Amino acid sequence: MTVFERVAVVGAGLIGGSVARRLHARGVDVVVVDPDAGTRAAASAAGLAVADALPADRDLVVLATPLDALATVLADAAVAAPDAVVVDVGSVKVAAARAAAAAGLAGRYVGAHPMAGTEQSGFEHSYPDLLVGVRWAVARGDGPVADVVRLVVEAFGATAVVLDAEEHDRAVGLVSHAPHVLANALLELAERAAEPTASHLAAGSFRDGTRVAGRNAERTRNMLADNAGALAGVLDDLVALLAHYRRELADPDALGARLQAVVDGAAAVRRPDADWRACPDLDLVLSAPGPVLVRAGAGGLEWAPAQP
């Protein structure tokens, strides 16, 4: 299975609840810790062990708390579980790594981020397969990165994308956080327009484009603000690009050329190739510079450079 036999999941919302459910289904000894009595009751009703406080006997602690509580929870985990590896699954990794170092956890902390979720929140929307078979970012650092890679690959059937925390934050600023900004801006635009007919005509493109907007303002604020350093440049580039589209409304040929260029480059973004090869020594692969991918293959672990 994995090197981790006794796991605590702190914060049993959509992501933490799904982590706990999956590991429990795999036969791992899992305890859920959450400050909300209703969440604890729901987790218990789902067959999970629950606790009011973090047990000291855990060898892995997964933190799935709101980003604005993470520094406090990291400091608490450092004391309450003195022998545990501590992993957070938040969407920003530079700030989390700094908080872990401040808590004295650098040698046993690993930052991770499953690239999946829904527009919903709360334990009631979690399920065991939510994070299975998806990409998990795992940030390099002084902690046991290889053990966490093995966990996500083996227990979740995931492809691990191992990279520096700064690389992670730049990447998710582009493909996750900026889309949240766009979704909220588009929904706000429709709200301001106060055009009832538009609401009646809104269909798939509007629904898909605003799916993550208008639901959990605090969570989205934490995500965007914590990644402001990387996200600001992405938004600057986006504003400039939108200005090009605006000008080219008066130049159909230029607009068509721009749209065709996007079509021509879409496959490389949506379905990137990877040069998979055998991975007999995971530690050696992870010590090489640059982001790498790791997955389970028919004959064992496989790896590929993120940029073939």
Side-chain angles (χ1 to χ4, degrees), residues 44-141:
S44 180
L48 295 167
V50 300
D52 296 334
L54 181 59
D57 67 344
R58 303 291 95 176
D59 50 30
L60 174 67
V61 175
V62 178
L63 305 181
T65 61
L67 288 173
D68 58 353
L70 185 57
T72 298
V73 178
L74 281 164
D76 291 344
V79 176
D83 300 318
V85 172
V86 178
V87 173
D88 91 282
V89 292
S91 64
V92 182
K93 297 275 72 90
V94 170
R98 289 172 180 161
L105 280 169
R108 54 190 179 101
Y109 163 80
V110 179
H113 180 199
M115 300 304 298
T118 73
E119 67 275 19
Q120 305 297 335
S121 60
F123 182 83
E124 64 272 22
H125 297 290
S126 67
Y127 57 96
D129 292 340
L130 176 66
L131 308 177
V132 174
V134 303
R135 298 290 171 101
W136 280 63
V138 180
R140 287 190 168 94

Side-chain angles (χ1 to χ4, degrees), residues 38 107 159 230 247 260:
T159 296
R247 288 193 296 270
Q260 186 58 51

Side-chain angles (χ1 to χ4, degrees), residues 153-168:
V153 169
E154 295 172 7
F156 292 89
T159 296
V161 182
V162 186
L163 71 177
D164 294 337
E166 293 81 5
E167 291 174 314
H168 168 275

Side-chain angles (χ1 to χ4, degrees), residues 126-201:
S126 67
Y127 57 96
D129 292 340
L130 176 66
L131 308 177
V132 174
V134 303
R135 298 290 171 101
W136 280 63
V138 180
R140 287 190 168 94
D142 296 329
V145 175
D147 289 340
V148 174
V149 168
R150 290 188 180 94
L151 172 71
V152 302
V153 169
E154 295 172 7
F156 292 89
T159 296
V161 182
V162 186
L163 71 177
D164 294 337
E166 293 81 5
E167 291 174 314
H168 168 275
D169 286 3
R170 289 195 301 269
V172 298
L174 182 64
V175 300
S176 177
H177 299 169
H180 274 79
V181 173
L182 274 173
N184 278 275
L186 181 57
L187 186 57
E188 181 181 356
L189 182 66
E191 291 171 350
R192 288 185 175 188
E195 184 65 58
T197 305
S199 298
H200 288 294
L201 293 176

